[in-house]
Amino acid sequence: MVVNAAEQRRPVPASRRWVVGITGASGAPYGVKLCKELLAAGIHVHLVVSDAGWRVLKEELGWDASRRQEALASAFEGALQAGSMTYHPLNDIGASIASGSFRAEGMVIIPCSMGSLSAIANGASTNLLTRAADVMLKEGRPLLLVPRETPLSAIHLENMLKLARLGVRIIPAMPAFYNGPQTIEDIVAFLVGKVMDSMGIPHNLFKRWGESDE
């Protein structure tokens, strides 16, 4: 569990809490960037990562998945000066975010694997990540999924349509080029900015279409 000392001294209102899930789809930089931006905005992040998600963090970002607490503390050290984070192990079924009585503004799964998406679409709460998503659905709270897969099968599409009809925001990890990205970081920032737009959290991660150069 990684918690800023400030969080231990004062409770955080539900409007400043977001649950973030990272699963085993390619796109770990998206999830890490979102967490950093939320922390910088003073949000308390409740983070849960699937086992496959840890594997992708290792492969794509070089994290030491065998030392998870240390990896998280190192990755978010600077950002924790503004916000705070609680890390929940995947199999901790007694965690706060597993209950609808625990108030949070909503949940984002970024990236979201097709396996996790399928479990959520079919109510299969087999671990804390999918249970937390199920809580968002049953409590009528915002749930945002960032699927990262290509090509998509009919099963994938049907599961996404089913969730979209339930009010889940589906935000595919698709880059845009009208803002003139120059680096991989620019592409990651654009997608994370689109997610934060859907969360209703202000940011300056990309230049919007029609904005003046001045």
Side-chain angles (χ1 to χ4, degrees), residues 114-137:
M114 292 300 104
S116 293
L117 191 147
S118 175
I120 296 165
N122 292 282
S125 302
T126 56
N127 56 47
L128 180 60
L129 189 148
T130 51
R131 168 58 186 172
D134 193 48
V135 165
M136 298 300 153
L137 287 172

mmCIF file of all heavy atoms in Angstrom, residues 114-137:
data_model
loop_
_atom_site.group_PDB
_atom_site.id
_atom_site.type_symbol
_atom_site.label_atom_id
_atom_site.label_comp_id
_atom_site.label_asym_id
_atom_site.label_seq_id
_atom_site.Cartn_x
_atom_site.Cartn_y
_atom_site.Cartn_z
ATOM 1 N N MET A 114 -8.979 -7.435 -23.400
ATOM 2 C CA MET A 114 -10.248 -8.013 -23.811
ATOM 3 C C MET A 114 -10.768 -9.020 -22.788
ATOM 4 O O MET A 114 -11.978 -9.187 -22.627
ATOM 5 C CB MET A 114 -10.102 -8.686 -25.180
ATOM 6 C CG MET A 114 -9.857 -7.708 -26.323
ATOM 7 S SD MET A 114 -11.182 -6.499 -26.551
ATOM 8 C CE MET A 114 -10.433 -5.023 -25.845
ATOM 9 N N GLY A 115 -9.865 -9.664 -22.061
ATOM 10 C CA GLY A 115 -10.286 -10.600 -21.025
ATOM 11 C C GLY A 115 -10.987 -9.881 -19.879
ATOM 12 O O GLY A 115 -12.038 -10.309 -19.408
ATOM 13 N N SER A 116 -10.401 -8.771 -19.417
ATOM 14 C CA SER A 116 -11.027 -7.997 -18.343
ATOM 15 C C SER A 116 -12.329 -7.381 -18.824
ATOM 16 O O SER A 116 -13.328 -7.357 -18.097
ATOM 17 C CB SER A 116 -10.069 -6.893 -17.856
ATOM 18 O OG SER A 116 -8.940 -7.455 -17.222
ATOM 19 N N LEU A 117 -12.347 -6.884 -20.060
ATOM 20 C CA LEU A 117 -13.559 -6.288 -20.614
ATOM 21 C C LEU A 117 -14.683 -7.319 -20.676
ATOM 22 O O LEU A 117 -15.831 -7.036 -20.320
ATOM 23 C CB LEU A 117 -13.267 -5.715 -21.992
ATOM 24 C CG LEU A 117 -14.347 -4.828 -22.626
ATOM 25 C CD1 LEU A 117 -13.703 -3.737 -23.480
ATOM 26 C CD2 LEU A 117 -15.308 -5.641 -23.483
ATOM 27 N N SER A 118 -14.348 -8.532 -21.085
ATOM 28 C CA SER A 118 -15.336 -9.591 -21.160
ATOM 29 C C SER A 118 -15.887 -9.934 -19.783
ATOM 30 O O SER A 118 -17.093 -10.121 -19.598
ATOM 31 C CB SER A 118 -14.722 -10.841 -21.803
ATOM 32 O OG SER A 118 -15.622 -11.922 -21.779
ATOM 33 N N ALA A 119 -14.994 -10.020 -18.787
ATOM 34 C CA ALA A 119 -15.429 -10.336 -17.429
ATOM 35 C C ALA A 119 -16.395 -9.274 -16.912
ATOM 36 O O ALA A 119 -17.420 -9.585 -16.294
ATOM 37 C CB ALA A 119 -14.218 -10.450 -16.509
ATOM 38 N N ILE A 120 -16.085 -8.009 -17.171
ATOM 39 C CA ILE A 120 -16.946 -6.916 -16.711
ATOM 40 C C ILE A 120 -18.290 -6.965 -17.426
ATOM 41 O O ILE A 120 -19.348 -6.806 -16.806
ATOM 42 C CB ILE A 120 -16.243 -5.564 -16.936
ATOM 43 C CG1 ILE A 120 -14.977 -5.471 -16.082
ATOM 44 C CG2 ILE A 120 -17.185 -4.407 -16.621
ATOM 45 C CD1 ILE A 120 -14.037 -4.357 -16.491
ATOM 46 N N ALA A 121 -18.250 -7.200 -18.729
ATOM 47 C CA ALA A 121 -19.490 -7.232 -19.517
ATOM 48 C C ALA A 121 -20.419 -8.351 -19.077
ATOM 49 O O ALA A 121 -21.643 -8.254 -19.236
ATOM 50 C CB ALA A 121 -19.157 -7.379 -21.000
ATOM 51 N N ASN A 122 -19.844 -9.410 -18.514
ATOM 52 C CA ASN A 122 -20.653 -10.571 -18.140
ATOM 53 C C ASN A 122 -20.781 -10.754 -16.628
ATOM 54 O O ASN A 122 -21.229 -11.802 -16.161
ATOM 55 C CB ASN A 122 -20.058 -11.832 -18.785
ATOM 56 C CG ASN A 122 -20.219 -11.815 -20.294
ATOM 57 O OD1 ASN A 122 -21.298 -12.093 -20.806
ATOM 58 N ND2 ASN A 122 -19.156 -11.484 -21.027
ATOM 59 N N GLY A 123 -20.391 -9.729 -15.862
ATOM 60 C CA GLY A 123 -20.575 -9.777 -14.412
ATOM 61 C C GLY A 123 -19.727 -10.796 -13.699
ATOM 62 O O GLY A 123 -20.091 -11.250 -12.608
ATOM 63 N N ALA A 124 -18.582 -11.169 -14.283
ATOM 64 C CA ALA A 124 -17.705 -12.172 -13.671
ATOM 65 C C ALA A 124 -16.664 -11.479 -12.798
ATOM 66 O O ALA A 124 -15.572 -11.166 -13.248
ATOM 67 C CB ALA A 124 -17.029 -13.012 -14.754
ATOM 68 N N SER A 125 -17.013 -11.241 -11.546
ATOM 69 C CA SER A 125 -16.115 -10.536 -10.627
ATOM 70 C C SER A 125 -15.147 -11.533 -9.994
ATOM 71 O O SER A 125 -15.305 -11.944 -8.841
ATOM 72 C CB SER A 125 -16.926 -9.811 -9.552
ATOM 73 O OG SER A 125 -17.827 -8.900 -10.141
ATOM 74 N N THR A 126 -14.120 -11.895 -10.743
ATOM 75 C CA THR A 126 -13.207 -12.943 -10.293
ATOM 76 C C THR A 126 -12.007 -12.407 -9.523
ATOM 77 O O THR A 126 -11.252 -13.184 -8.951
ATOM 78 C CB THR A 126 -12.694 -13.738 -11.505
ATOM 79 O OG1 THR A 126 -12.080 -12.836 -12.433
ATOM 80 C CG2 THR A 126 -13.853 -14.459 -12.203
ATOM 81 N N ASN A 127 -11.822 -11.098 -9.498
ATOM 82 C CA ASN A 127 -10.725 -10.497 -8.744
ATOM 83 C C ASN A 127 -11.130 -9.077 -8.348
ATOM 84 O O ASN A 127 -12.223 -8.609 -8.681
ATOM 85 C CB ASN A 127 -9.414 -10.501 -9.545
ATOM 86 C CG ASN A 127 -9.558 -9.808 -10.901
ATOM 87 O OD1 ASN A 127 -10.107 -8.708 -10.996
ATOM 88 N ND2 ASN A 127 -9.073 -10.460 -11.952
ATOM 89 N N LEU A 128 -10.253 -8.376 -7.639
ATOM 90 C CA LEU A 128 -10.607 -7.051 -7.140
ATOM 91 C C LEU A 128 -10.843 -6.058 -8.268
ATOM 92 O O LEU A 128 -11.738 -5.201 -8.168
ATOM 93 C CB LEU A 128 -9.510 -6.536 -6.202
ATOM 94 C CG LEU A 128 -9.764 -5.154 -5.596
ATOM 95 C CD1 LEU A 128 -11.051 -5.138 -4.776
ATOM 96 C CD2 LEU A 128 -8.575 -4.722 -4.740
ATOM 97 N N LEU A 129 -10.091 -6.166 -9.353
ATOM 98 C CA LEU A 129 -10.247 -5.222 -10.455
ATOM 99 C C LEU A 129 -11.630 -5.330 -11.087
ATOM 100 O O LEU A 129 -12.335 -4.327 -11.263
ATOM 101 C CB LEU A 129 -9.150 -5.450 -11.491
ATOM 102 C CG LEU A 129 -9.031 -4.421 -12.614
ATOM 103 C CD1 LEU A 129 -7.583 -4.268 -13.045
ATOM 104 C CD2 LEU A 129 -9.891 -4.795 -13.814
ATOM 105 N N THR A 130 -12.038 -6.542 -11.409
ATOM 106 C CA THR A 130 -13.352 -6.711 -12.035
ATOM 107 C C THR A 130 -14.479 -6.484 -11.032
ATOM 108 O O THR A 130 -15.560 -6.020 -11.405
ATOM 109 C CB THR A 130 -13.475 -8.093 -12.685
ATOM 110 O OG1 THR A 130 -13.099 -9.117 -11.743
ATOM 111 C CG2 THR A 130 -12.560 -8.203 -13.900
ATOM 112 N N ARG A 131 -14.234 -6.773 -9.755
ATOM 113 C CA ARG A 131 -15.236 -6.490 -8.729
ATOM 114 C C ARG A 131 -15.427 -4.970 -8.584
ATOM 115 O O ARG A 131 -16.564 -4.498 -8.495
ATOM 116 C CB ARG A 131 -14.826 -7.087 -7.391
ATOM 117 C CG ARG A 131 -15.657 -6.612 -6.199
ATOM 118 C CD ARG A 131 -17.145 -6.901 -6.360
ATOM 119 N NE ARG A 131 -17.925 -6.304 -5.263
ATOM 120 C CZ ARG A 131 -19.238 -6.266 -5.219
ATOM 121 N NH1 ARG A 131 -19.963 -6.781 -6.211
ATOM 122 N NH2 ARG A 131 -19.873 -5.702 -4.201
ATOM 123 N N ALA A 132 -14.339 -4.224 -8.570
ATOM 124 C CA ALA A 132 -14.449 -2.765 -8.452
ATOM 125 C C ALA A 132 -15.219 -2.188 -9.629
ATOM 126 O O ALA A 132 -16.020 -1.258 -9.467
ATOM 127 C CB ALA A 132 -13.060 -2.142 -8.358
ATOM 128 N N ALA A 133 -14.987 -2.735 -10.826
ATOM 129 C CA ALA A 133 -15.745 -2.281 -12.002
ATOM 130 C C ALA A 133 -17.216 -2.626 -11.857
ATOM 131 O O ALA A 133 -18.101 -1.824 -12.213
ATOM 132 C CB ALA A 133 -15.164 -2.911 -13.270
ATOM 133 N N ASP A 134 -17.505 -3.809 -11.327
ATOM 134 C CA ASP A 134 -18.887 -4.230 -11.104
ATOM 135 C C ASP A 134 -19.576 -3.296 -10.115
ATOM 136 O O ASP A 134 -20.764 -2.979 -10.253
ATOM 137 C CB ASP A 134 -18.904 -5.666 -10.594
ATOM 138 C CG ASP A 134 -20.295 -6.287 -10.637
ATOM 139 O OD1 ASP A 134 -20.964 -6.169 -11.678
ATOM 140 O OD2 ASP A 134 -20.709 -6.877 -9.636
ATOM 141 N N VAL A 135 -18.826 -2.847 -9.104
ATOM 142 C CA VAL A 135 -19.368 -1.900 -8.129
ATOM 143 C C VAL A 135 -19.780 -0.603 -8.823
ATOM 144 O O VAL A 135 -20.843 -0.040 -8.546
ATOM 145 C CB VAL A 135 -18.335 -1.617 -7.013
ATOM 146 C CG1 VAL A 135 -18.726 -0.382 -6.205
ATOM 147 C CG2 VAL A 135 -18.203 -2.825 -6.100
ATOM 148 N N MET A 136 -18.932 -0.115 -9.737
ATOM 149 C CA MET A 136 -19.259 1.120 -10.447
ATOM 150 C C MET A 136 -20.560 0.959 -11.239
ATOM 151 O O MET A 136 -21.401 1.862 -11.266
ATOM 152 C CB MET A 136 -18.121 1.508 -11.389
ATOM 153 C CG MET A 136 -16.807 1.803 -10.690
ATOM 154 S SD MET A 136 -16.929 3.164 -9.522
ATOM 155 C CE MET A 136 -15.616 2.745 -8.364
ATOM 156 N N LEU A 137 -20.725 -0.187 -11.864
ATOM 157 C CA LEU A 137 -21.941 -0.426 -12.638
ATOM 158 C C LEU A 137 -23.173 -0.475 -11.738
ATOM 159 O O LEU A 137 -24.190 0.168 -12.031
ATOM 160 C CB LEU A 137 -21.812 -1.737 -13.417
ATOM 161 C CG LEU A 137 -20.875 -1.730 -14.627
ATOM 162 C CD1 LEU A 137 -20.706 -3.145 -15.166
ATOM 163 C CD2 LEU A 137 -21.421 -0.813 -15.719
#
